[in-house]
Amino acid sequence: MPTRIIPATLRDLSYVAANLRPADRAEIDCQLDHWSPALLALTALQGFAYVAELDGNPEAGFGAAEQRSGLWIAWSWGTRRMKRCVPEITRFFHVVLGPQVAARGAWRVEARALAENDLALRWLDRLGATQRCRLPGYGRNGEDFFLYDWTRESWNHVSLSETARTEAAAAGADRRG
């Protein structure tokens, strides 16, 4: 069965959060003082949130949430099987999520990754994010992170007509209309 992207539910995100791959657990542990799978899932449901299913099982959660007018934070985490979902998540990011966030007036979308999380750093590069700086001691135990972003200029290849089409497609995907 192929990878399928669906709107996130608390149940699916809680399952993914309870079965995180070690790199994602380490990244979350050093950013949050106290968390549980249910709390992480509930927080992730803000903004746009999706789940990648593999063989009908939720394996990754990802999305973006507005922090203030024009500033969004992108996030993703998953189980050990997430790696098999990355190609479809990447396609969905470019075709639906990125244009969806742009259509909501985003000027900047940020993502942070633990400096030791090589897979996340490479994936952010492939997603077209710009590595802005190292954040020394950003983690609660002094771990270093990297700050990545996309700005409106970095996604200026998306035309307004294309944005309107993808916004319509996204409205169907997230069932919000």
Side-chain angles (χ1 to χ4, degrees), residues 21 30 39 50 56 68 119 121 127 139 167:
R21 59 190 176 159
C30 68
L39 182 59
Y50 297 97
R68 65 159 170 75
L119 285 173
L121 300 177
L127 286 171
E167 184 179 20

Side-chain angles (χ1 to χ4, degrees), residues 7-21 25 28 35-45 49-51 57-62 75 77-79:
T9 65
L10 182 59
R11 177 185 170 273
D12 288 347
L13 287 174
S14 294
Y15 172 84
V16 174
N19 293 284
L20 290 173
R21 59 190 176 159
R25 179 173 296 280
I28 291 165
W35 69 275
S36 67
L39 182 59
L40 185 63
L42 190 58
T43 303
L45 284 170
Y50 297 97
V51 166
N57 198 52
E59 300 296 346
F62 66 98
W75 59 272
W77 26 265
T79 70

Side-chain angles (χ1 to χ4, degrees), residues 156-174:
N156 66 4
H157 63 282
V158 178
S159 71
L160 292 178
S161 61
E162 185 178 338
T163 300
R165 281 193 309 276
T166 54
E167 184 179 20
D174 73 3

